[in-house]
Amino acid sequence: MPETNKKSDTSEIESFMTMPDKRGHFGTYGGRFVSETLMGPLEELEQAYNKYKNDPEFIAEYEHDLKHYVGRPSPLYHADRWSKQLGGAQIYLKREDLNHTGAHKINNTVGQALLAKLMGKRRVIAETGAGQHGVATATVAARYGMECIVYMGAEDIQRQAMNVFRMKLLGATVISVEAGSKTLKDALNEAMRDWVTNVDDTFYIIGTVAGPHPYPTMVRDFNAVVGREARKQCLDQAGCLPDALVACVGGGSNAIGLFHPFLDDKGVSIYGVEAAGEGIETGHHAAPLSAGKPGVLHGNRTYLMEDNYGQIIETHCISAGLDYPGVGPEHAWLKDTGRANYVSVTDIEALQAFHDLTRIEGIIPALESSHALAYTAKIAPKMAKDAIIIANLSGRGDKDIHTVAAHEGITL
Amino acid sequence: MSRIEACFSALKNNNKKALIPFITAGDPSLDMTVELMHVLTEAGADIIELGVPFSDPMADGPVIQRASERALLNGTNTDDVFNIVKEFRVENESTPIILMGYLNPIEVMGYKNFVEKATNVGVDGLIIVDLPPEESAEFGEVLKPSGIDQIFLISPTTRGERLDRICEVATGFLYYVSLKGVTGSNQLDVKAVDDKLNEIRSKTSLPLGVGFGIKNPQIAEDVGRVSDAVVVGSALVERIAEHSGDGEKMKLEISSFMRSLRTALDNIG
């Protein structure tokens, strides 16, 4: 097994699946660090979520739409040609790229939009970086007949013109955010401001496992379908649990979705892969768990990228979906407890994996997911041939074709 | 008696309302902030609220966001903010100063270190926008011995047990956010503010300040009639931004706007 695998003190914790506590804390992380104006709306949301999450009718409608609209379950695909080439563990890919809209994001937006509907909110808002969560939100807003506003940094709007147009086609209004660094974190700030102003008729669909309680828990729960399916599929297809799980971590929603149902399977090693950008040592990266420290941003305590005075600093990496200076608080807790390992790969390593999977398996992965694949390619050769790795192929790469071409000096 | 307590008790004896201006430290520059603070007190400020700039001011509207950005571009950091207070205190020993900001710059400095520095330079109160009472037990423990007041916000959606709890832990005064939204918003309803303030008064004897949406002397007067203090932020910061190229003009403009607010508040009573 690779040297990064430390499972030192996990034996003291009986179950890793009981978090968070009642006030949304994962150990010292998470919580609800927001202005008083947001406390009321968050309490209302928490009460609604607690009421409906175990409601058979709500669950039935959610599962119905996951099956018939999203196309679940997504396959667990044995990438045997790639596994053979790497010469070690058998690699299974959880094919979230095959979902409607092309990524795991829709698992969450379907859940939150259904909740919005039950709460009587007719307007949904969202923040988006690369545009994937914006598209997934615009999609379900169209599906459920809701007004949809998406906040997107002015910089990101420039970089992701195609997704901006997709959202507009779906009927959403895309608002350019000119504040701060004009990227995802600023879009999130702006969406919060909209929410606090229009809370009576508006539901804020956050796209990742960050934000104030109950968002990290709710978004995790809606994405945990990924891990539940993968666990069952692995038992069915391979006859055993996997040896390792690998997923990319920006905010961390696809990763926690895969990891959570396996947290108490202590024989399963867990790897979250952050974006090292140009390299951790250059400072140009998006890897708060690898190189940041704990602080408070966007309503929760977690690992952050910040300067010496606590100002949030800009992130750099090739994949817009990983460009976030914070990370979901449950990941922060899993890191500190040692239950999960957080590692990073560079832009160049991710691009190599992007090309490898495309050429060897005929699957074009998202650049975000390519980070998970790059780390998978590092550990697989060191593992036995009958070992199993599940890598989360969280999204498809069509959206990244322009980025990859530009990086290679090709004009399309 | 703390400066804040002394200030409110003197105002009460004179049957006056507190005028609390807000400006962002380091906007338009560190030196200018100290000068502006003196302009504010000369023009009738009772307490000064000094914004500590943060990269992600989630609860602020565009005017104060931009002030925060300008201050950070100037290189303003938390130690600079303390230096501003220290310099102000050379000439002014009496006007209470409240720092208003977000938690992360405090976390990174360490609670103890931050409180020590704030105490040493003569800070009187803290409003930490994203630190609600539910999360502030640890910070409260560190702050208590310093005598610095932790001022909590109350919003239109603060109800029931939470309202009771805030009234219990708050010191100095309570800051009522007059509307749903961010700083500088538009739709202040004085009747609704009055109703809520009466509810809060039934639970605490602390003075009640009102902010968010007080843009002109008329609104200040209307709100002043039902509260103990009015906080004016965005309307001032807007004037600072407008005259950023001309310091003297800025000071004149700020002074005359402040005097118009003072006069409006003094019409009450």
Side-chain angles (χ1 to χ4, degrees):
Chain A
M1 293 301 291
E3 64 290 350
T4 46
N5 185 13
K6 49 162 184 158
K7 288 199 258 172
S8 46
D9 45 3
T10 57
S11 52
E12 293 163 22
I13 297 173
E14 241 169 65
S15 170
F16 288 87
M17 296 175 75
T18 58
M19 288 282 163
D21 68 13
K22 269 189 185 153
R23 291 194 0 252
H25 295 107
F26 301 86
T28 58
Y29 301 104
R32 190 176 275 166
F33 293 88
V34 295
S35 88
E36 185 57 32
T37 46
L38 273 171
M39 293 300 281
L42 286 165
E43 281 193 335
E44 187 201 359
L45 173 63
E46 183 187 3
Q47 280 162 13
Y49 180 58
N50 286 339
K51 176 176 162 194
Y52 289 115
K53 72 177 179 190
N54 299 317
D55 177 81
E57 268 181 58
F58 176 75
I59 294 169
E61 196 174 358
Y62 176 60
E63 287 180 350
H64 176 274
D65 273 17
L66 286 188
K67 182 173 177 192
H68 297 282
Y69 187 62
V70 175
R72 304 206 70 92
S74 67
L76 184 70
Y77 167 69
H78 181 200
D80 61 336
R81 237 166 76 79
W82 195 40
S83 305
K84 273 198 193 91
Q85 290 212 2
L86 290 167
Q90 300 308 305
I91 300 165
Y92 285 74
L93 303 175
K94 182 58 176 163
R95 298 292 307 274
E96 292 300 295
D97 60 318
L98 294 176
N99 292 337
H100 180 42
T101 70
H104 72 286
K105 293 284 185 191
I106 196 151
N107 302 322
N108 170 47
T109 59
V110 165
Q112 288 199 48
L114 284 173
L115 187 58
K117 203 172 76 168
L118 288 168
M119 290 173 75
K121 312 278 182 182
R122 40 159 290 281
R123 180 176 179 268
V124 294
I125 59 173
E127 83 295 338
T128 198
Q132 293 307 102
H133 173 59
V135 168
T137 304
T139 299
V140 297
R143 161 86 177 84
Y144 301 121
M146 293 163 164
E147 183 188 350
C148 178
I149 312 287
V150 178
Y151 289 92
M152 189 166 181
E155 286 272 323
D156 290 331
I157 285 184
Q158 291 284 331
R159 292 191 286 199
Q160 302 287 340
M162 198 169 75
N163 269 343
V164 173
F165 189 58
R166 283 170 85 190
M167 288 184 265
K168 287 181 179 167
L169 286 174
L170 289 159
T173 304
V174 179
I175 297 181
S176 174
V177 178
E178 307 286 340
S181 59
K182 303 180 173 60
T183 57
L184 176 60
K185 77 176 179 67
D186 309 286
L188 206 152
N189 291 331
E190 203 55 36
M192 281 283 182
R193 293 178 189 120
D194 177 316
W195 193 38
V196 74
T197 310
N198 301 300
V199 63
D200 291 337
D201 70 344
T202 298
F203 189 105
Y204 179 16
I205 301 185
I206 293 188
T208 192
V209 283
H213 180 61
Y215 282 103
T217 307
M218 182 169 69
V219 177
R220 175 197 74 195
D221 292 349
F222 286 137
N223 273 305
V225 64
V226 176
R228 283 196 303 271
E229 282 177 10
R231 194 172 183 282
K232 182 169 185 302
Q233 287 165 324
C234 193
L235 288 169
D236 289 350
Q237 293 170 221
C240 60
L241 287 174
D243 296 277
L245 305 175
V246 185
C248 66
V249 178
S253 66
N254 90 82
I256 209 76
L258 176 65
F259 298 167
H260 195 260
F262 291 93
L263 288 179
D264 285 342
D265 298 318
K266 295 199 178 159
V268 179
S269 302
I270 296 177
Y271 300 94
V273 186
E274 294 191 299
E278 293 166 26
I280 297 284
E281 68 289 351
T282 66
H284 291 182
H285 58 80
L289 287 169
S290 307
K293 54 185 180 205
V296 171
L297 177 70
H298 292 152
N300 67 100
R301 184 177 281 122
T302 188
Y303 280 83
L304 298 177
M305 291 181 49
E306 60 184 4
D307 70 12
N308 290 337
Y309 281 98
Q311 307 296 341
I312 306 306
I313 56 179
E314 280 182 49
T315 52
H316 300 264
C317 73
I318 193 161
S319 123
L322 301 182
D323 245 335
Y324 182 63
V327 62
E330 190 160 10
H331 288 294
W333 178 71
L334 289 172
K335 172 191 161 78
D336 283 10
T337 57
R339 176 61 188 101
N341 308 283
Y342 293 89
V343 296
S344 63
V345 304
T346 64
D347 289 349
I348 289 172
E349 291 169 323
L351 279 164
Q352 185 60 49
F354 173 93
H355 284 299
D356 287 348
L357 197 78
T358 302
R359 293 294 292 270
I360 298 166
E361 293 289 349
I363 298 170
I364 303 179
L367 282 173
E368 290 80 8
S369 321
S370 298
H371 286 74
L373 300 172
Y375 193 73
T376 301
K378 281 191 189 184
I379 62 172
K382 301 180 199 163
M383 295 166 72
K385 285 196 168 61
D386 61 351
I388 293 172
I389 302 174
I390 296 179
N392 202 5
L393 188 47
S394 55
R396 69 175 181 224
D398 308 50
K399 70 180 175 61
D400 295 315
I401 299 298
H402 283 85
T403 309
V404 174
H407 193 266
E408 285 159 18
I410 298 163
T411 315
L412 295 182
Chain B
M1 193 187 283
S2 77
R3 282 196 197 94
I4 292 176
E5 213 181 329
C7 171
F8 274 106
S9 114
L11 286 165
K12 199 172 181 190
N13 291 339
N14 297 321
N15 204 18
K16 285 176 78 172
K17 305 294 181 174
L19 174 57
I20 309 181
F22 168 98
I23 59 174
T24 298
D27 171 41
S29 67
L30 294 172
D31 291 345
M32 197 66 186
T33 299
V34 180
E35 282 187 52
L36 282 173
M37 289 167 77
H38 290 304
V39 169
L40 293 172
T41 52
E42 280 155 23
D46 299 298
I47 295 173
I48 292 177
E49 219 180 279
L50 194 57
V52 181
F54 181 49
S55 54
D56 293 78
M58 216 165 74
D60 283 300
V63 171
I64 291 174
Q65 283 173 49
R66 283 196 288 269
S68 216
E69 279 175 28
R70 287 192 298 271
L72 290 174
L73 273 175
N74 290 339
T76 310
N77 62 42
T78 318
D79 285 319
D80 294 328
V81 179
F82 289 135
N83 283 333
I84 286 172
V85 178
K86 192 174 171 188
E87 211 175 306
F88 176 79
R89 283 273 174 258
V90 173
E91 286 179 44
N92 185 320
E93 261 297 316
S94 60
T95 306
I97 294 178
I98 295 166
L99 297 186
M100 178 165 187
Y102 292 79
L103 183 59
N104 201 48
I106 300 176
E107 288 245 334
V108 89
M109 192 168 267
Y111 291 168
K112 205 166 157 256
N113 193 9
F114 180 92
V115 169
E116 225 170 79
K117 287 181 176 183
T119 312
N120 289 341
V121 297
V123 168
D124 303 286
L126 294 175
I127 300 175
I128 308 170
V129 180
D130 54 351
L131 187 64
E134 283 85 345
E135 301 285 0
S136 83
E138 196 187 332
F139 183 73
E141 289 288 298
V142 179
L143 189 65
K144 208 165 187 183
S146 75
I148 293 178
D149 289 316
Q150 187 171 3
I151 293 144
F152 286 100
L153 306 181
I154 292 176
S155 87
T157 54
T158 310
R159 298 186 188 101
E161 277 176 30
R162 292 205 62 253
L163 182 56
D164 296 347
R165 175 109 193 278
I166 293 173
C167 290
E168 245 175 68
V169 296
T171 60
F173 68 96
L174 279 159
Y175 185 142
Y176 180 60
V177 175
S178 51
L179 41 80
K180 290 177 187 165
V182 293
T183 51
S185 297
N186 247 328
Q187 329 98 2
L188 192 143
D189 173 351
V190 178
K191 173 73 174 66
V193 170
D194 189 25
D195 289 347
K196 190 71 180 190
L197 293 186
N198 283 329
E199 184 191 348
I200 301 168
R201 256 188 215 103
S202 71
K203 298 171 192 290
T204 178
S205 55
L206 286 177
L208 304 182
V210 176
F212 281 39
I214 297 173
K215 302 178 137 32
N216 58 47
Q218 187 58 54
I219 304 178
E221 188 178 329
D222 294 346
V223 172
R225 277 183 202 285
V226 300
S227 66
D228 304 302
V230 298
V231 184
V232 181
S234 297
L236 270 171
V237 172
E238 217 157 30
R239 284 167 169 83
I240 292 174
E242 204 181 313
H243 299 286
S244 60
D246 185 344
E248 288 313 304
K249 183 112 190 272
M250 181 193 300
K251 285 193 272 180
L252 280 174
E253 186 67 27
I254 293 296
S255 175
S256 101
F257 181 58
M258 278 294 291
R259 282 177 207 282
S260 70
L261 296 167
R262 181 77 264 169
T263 309
L265 286 182
D266 291 346
N267 285 339
I268 307 167

